[in-house]
Amino acid sequence: MKFEVLKPVLVSNQERAKENRKFFDQAHSLVLNIIGSPGSGKTSVIENIVKRLKTQWRILVIEGDIKGSLDSERLSKLGIDTIQINTLTECHLDAFMIAQALPKIKRPYDLILVENVGNLVCPAEFEIGEDYKIAILSTPEGDDKPIKYPLLFHLAKVVIINKVDLLPYLDFKLKKARAHIREKNPKAVIFEVSARTGKGFDRIVNFLKKELAKKR
């Protein structure tokens, strides 16, 4: 019964996502849907990426939160444009919410980073017109999350393991985490970083520069 209710919703969302995709394609924008648990460091990861790319590329961040605008206000201080979406009772962004933000995009952007609502379940189910999903897994969450929340790790082209600076104090095993991710998605590109120290971001930035170059 649950499947019968969700299917039309997801199909309808997918159609709207295709329309969003056309909008982004016209501007040659690379659109990344960033998904992770509350506290996994999504905003800090975005902050590190923006700092390293903003002088070369036009960047927009779309922030999804249930309420408030703390993260978008924080990112605006980096000198980039942001759009805030408050979902109120919804635990994810969907294609229709992103569609409502499109009229606010008045100029083309090379890179659009969409920070989804903090959650490993709902955001994975809804396409928004992105090029691909990025999953963020932080070490305090445990190395078993790819097993417990398989859909996100199956769909994500990129997985960022954040807070590796805390590894000496945790039972998190990098080798085991990588194996769990590979089990769900053998083609996933995995990065290990510390958004606090900046360690590992050179590899991500080099990867994104190549992805951005493909859009030109």
Side-chain angles (χ1 to χ4, degrees), residues 40-52:
S40 60
K42 296 185 295 301
T43 309
S44 298
V45 167
I46 291 172
E47 205 168 37
N48 272 277
I49 291 171
V50 168
K51 284 178 180 175
R52 288 164 173 80

Side-chain angles (χ1 to χ4, degrees), residues 25-26 40 52-53 56 64 68 70 77 86 88 97-98 101 111 114-116 119 123 135 188:
D25 282 344
Q26 287 175 355
S40 60
R52 288 164 173 80
L53 290 178
Q56 293 178 268
L70 291 175
K77 293 177 182 176
N86 286 133
L88 302 179
M97 296 177 192
I98 295 297
L111 177 62
V114 182
E115 181 176 348
N116 218 309
N119 193 320

Side-chain angles (χ1 to χ4, degrees), residues 134-183:
I134 293 182
I136 297 185
L137 168 65
S138 68
T139 55
E141 295 175 71
D143 50 34
D144 58 351
K145 290 299 173 289
I147 301 298
K148 291 184 175 180
Y149 303 95
L151 180 61
L152 173 59
F153 293 92
H154 171 69
L155 295 175
K157 177 176 176 177
V158 174
V159 178
I160 296 176
I161 301 175
N162 188 25
K163 304 187 182 182
V164 294
D165 52 309
L166 298 179
L167 283 173
Y169 313 103
L170 301 168
D171 291 330
F172 189 100
K173 305 299 182 190
L174 273 176
K175 187 176 180 181
K176 188 183 287 186
R178 287 192 213 101
H180 289 330
I181 294 167
R182 296 284 184 218
E183 183 182 327

